[in-house]
Amino acid sequence: MAKKIPRVDLPDGLRLDTLAVREGLPRTPWGENSEALFLTSSFVQPDAATAAARFANEEEAFIYSRFTNPTVTMMERRLAAMEGTEACIATSSGMSAILLLVMGLLKAGDHIICSHSVFGSTIMLLGREFAKFGVETTFVSQTDVAEWRRALKPNTRLLFAESPTNPLTEVCDIRALAEIAKAAGAWLAVDNCFCSPALQKPVEYGADIIIHSGTKYLDGQGRVIAGAICCSEQLVNEKFMPVMRSAGMSLSPFNAWVVLKGLETLSIRMRAQSENALKMATWLEMQPSVDRVYYPGLPSHPQHELAMAQQSGCGGAVLSFIVNGQASGGPTLARKNAFHVIDSTRICSITANLGDTKTTITHPASTSHGRLTEEQRQAAGITQGMIRLAVGLDDVEDLKADLARGLTSI
Ligand SMILES: Cc1ncc(COP(=O)(O)O)c(C=O)c1O
């Protein structure tokens, strides 16, 4: 939408940090320096004939906030510019971005290939909800490119990846998946929630579509639920906007404004939180009561080199680790120990959200991935002893002390 609605007058070739604070819409006649919040459901039309032309898409203008609102457009333009895509369509949540993706692109009889280690609700939405409507999904290994190729069918229309994954931080080779998708005439969509465009731009590796949960790093301060799809102008106009207009998984202008302001500090937050996460991961790897640490920034991570190349040399701010217990007492003891470490913290927020400036801690097997069957969890590698830490801006020494309380008393 809004191709003809004027853009901010900016020089060409600006870099991400400038776009993050400048891209959007031109100022209103009042000359505000901070972006305006247009908290309105609808827009008054000058006369009936103009209203008719606008509703018929013959003239571009803001009409009704289910599908057009200036604050939302500002957020969409800013995020698209940062991701390096032509366009973006904002949605009410990250999950509704994936809902819109599938509703907009696919029909009954179509086939999706998806990594089996993506976010739990994505597995439920693709694997269960869309199966009801005749869209079939094959789940494959995140890291074995040959498995993605083998899963192709004549009706495969979409490859869906998330990198790094939640919570195992497995990294997929976006370029290799893009080549497979292209050769098969399918789209590649990448959920870029963990890295954000500050660290990784999947379009540079050939992805067609970027999915965001704006709830995470884009807002970055745990305030709103939001989502977005970044892609070509053509896909937005022809595939996604018609569904948005009819189905209304729209982002509220207020939430769009919060994300818009969050984008301004995205880059410095991502780098600072990644630095903290690397320090925490390095420290956790040395703790005797920790069996294993999953963090792409560590040389011990199986896709460390790929991650460093794809993610601007940063590991991101999310890590997971496994506490002792599985070997001696099976899943029951592993879960008890994980709960003990979580419950012994006094700084970390016990919550399943991530991407906040406040460090959050969670037990994926019973929260974000609790609705999966044990078989699906095992396929995703999520064991009962696993804890996910989404590192914020808290002081790292305070965080170490917070975790050491539980780790040293298992
Ligand atoms: C990787 C990933 N994608 C999508 C989502 C869904 O986003 P939302 O909670 O905004 O619907 C999440 C939520 O945790 C996530 O971690």
Side-chain angles (χ1 to χ4, degrees), residues 41-221:
S41 328
S42 68
F43 296 83
V44 177
Q45 307 300 320
D47 51 63
T50 309
R54 290 176 177 179
F55 271 80
N57 271 341
E58 288 158 6
E59 184 185 314
E60 267 189 342
F62 295 105
I63 300 173
Y64 188 66
S65 291
R66 186 181 339 108
F67 50 100
T68 50
N69 177 282
T71 310
V72 178
T73 299
M74 282 192 264
M75 189 228 108
E76 291 169 340
R77 285 187 172 180
R78 189 168 288 180
L79 183 58
M82 292 170 75
E83 277 291 2
T85 57
E86 281 174 2
C88 166
I89 183 163
T91 57
S92 55
S93 68
M95 290 321 300
S96 65
I98 302 172
L99 177 71
L100 177 60
L101 172 81
V102 180
M103 285 183 74
L105 295 184
L106 306 191
K107 59 180 185 328
D110 286 343
H111 175 242
I112 304 173
I113 307 175
C114 179
S115 155
H116 55 49
S117 24
V118 294
F119 178 54
S121 295
T122 307
I123 293 179
M124 301 301 280
L125 181 61
L126 299 183
R128 191 175 72 177
E129 306 306 335
F130 273 110
K132 291 184 208 159
F133 300 97
V135 175
E136 185 207 358
T137 301
T138 303
F139 292 97
V140 295
S141 152
Q142 166 84 354
T143 52
D144 183 352
V145 176
E147 223 182 282
W148 290 75
R149 204 176 285 112
R150 278 199 301 275
L152 282 172
K153 296 183 181 190
N155 57 343
T156 304
R157 304 293 312 282
L158 177 67
L159 271 61
F160 188 98
E162 179 187 307
S163 191
T165 55
N166 182 6
L168 272 157
T169 73
E170 286 180 339
V171 176
C172 69
D173 186 338
I174 300 175
R175 200 188 301 278
L177 296 187
E179 278 164 18
I180 295 175
K182 200 165 183 202
W187 289 284
L188 172 64
V190 175
D191 184 331
N192 200 23
C193 171
F194 268 42
C195 277
S196 87
L199 302 187
Q200 171 173 277
K201 289 190 195 164
V203 284
E204 290 179 355
Y205 301 99
D208 303 291
I209 300 162
I210 315 306
I211 298 293
H212 271 292
S213 164
T215 318
K216 307 298 181 309
Y217 294 100
L218 305 189
D219 163 23
Q221 287 158 78

Side-chain angles (χ1 to χ4, degrees), residues 268-269 272-273 276 356-359 391-396 399:
I268 49 174
R269 281 187 283 104
Q273 291 178 223
N276 284 355
D356 203 318
T357 49
K358 297 178 171 72
T359 301
V391 183
L393 294 175
D394 310 83
D395 187 285
V396 168
L399 288 178

Side-chain angles (χ1 to χ4, degrees), residues 42 128 265 279 298 323 362 372:
S42 68
R128 191 175 72 177
T265 54
K279 288 179 190 156
L298 288 177
V323 294
T362 193
L372 302 188

Side-chain angles (χ1 to χ4, degrees), residues 172-369:
C172 69
D173 186 338
I174 300 175
R175 200 188 301 278
L177 296 187
E179 278 164 18
I180 295 175
K182 200 165 183 202
W187 289 284
L188 172 64
V190 175
D191 184 331
N192 200 23
C193 171
F194 268 42
C195 277
S196 87
L199 302 187
Q200 171 173 277
K201 289 190 195 164
V203 284
E204 290 179 355
Y205 301 99
D208 303 291
I209 300 162
I210 315 306
I211 298 293
H212 271 292
S213 164
T215 318
K216 307 298 181 309
Y217 294 100
L218 305 189
D219 163 23
Q221 287 158 78
R223 299 168 293 194
V224 298
I225 300 286
I229 301 179
C230 297
C231 57
S232 67
E233 192 93 46
Q234 192 185 3
L235 280 183
V236 167
N237 290 339
E238 292 176 12
K239 301 287 186 188
F240 301 132
M241 187 50 88
V243 179
M244 175 64 81
R245 199 166 166 169
S246 308
M249 55 284 269
S250 341
L251 183 60
S252 86
F254 181 80
N255 288 1
W257 184 83
V258 172
V259 173
L260 186 68
K261 302 310 283 181
L263 288 175
E264 297 187 350
T265 54
L266 178 68
S267 187
I268 49 174
R269 281 187 283 104
M270 285 310 298
R271 286 180 189 280
Q273 291 178 223
S274 283
E275 252 177 57
N276 284 355
L278 177 60
K279 288 179 190 156
M280 289 306 295
T282 308
W283 176 80
L284 279 164
E285 239 185 4
M286 294 182 311
Q287 303 311 303
S289 46
V290 171
D291 279 347
R292 184 167 174 189
V293 180
Y294 299 84
Y295 181 64
L298 288 177
S300 59
H301 189 281
Q303 296 96 40
H304 174 66
E305 275 172 34
L306 174 63
M308 292 300 98
Q310 242 170 220
Q311 301 174 193
S312 318
C314 287
V318 181
L319 62 92
S320 291
F321 59 98
I322 307 219
V323 294
N324 299 163
Q326 181 80 30
S328 55
T332 312
L333 182 64
R335 181 183 172 114
K336 186 170 168 254
N337 289 346
F339 278 23
H340 172 73
V341 173
I342 293 170
D343 291 342
S344 302
T345 60
R346 291 173 55 198
I347 296 174
C348 295
S349 309
I350 306 175
T351 170
N353 196 25
L354 62 95
D356 203 318
T357 49
K358 297 178 171 72
T359 301
T360 61
I361 191 164
T362 193
H363 180 249
S366 59
T367 60
S368 55
H369 293 68

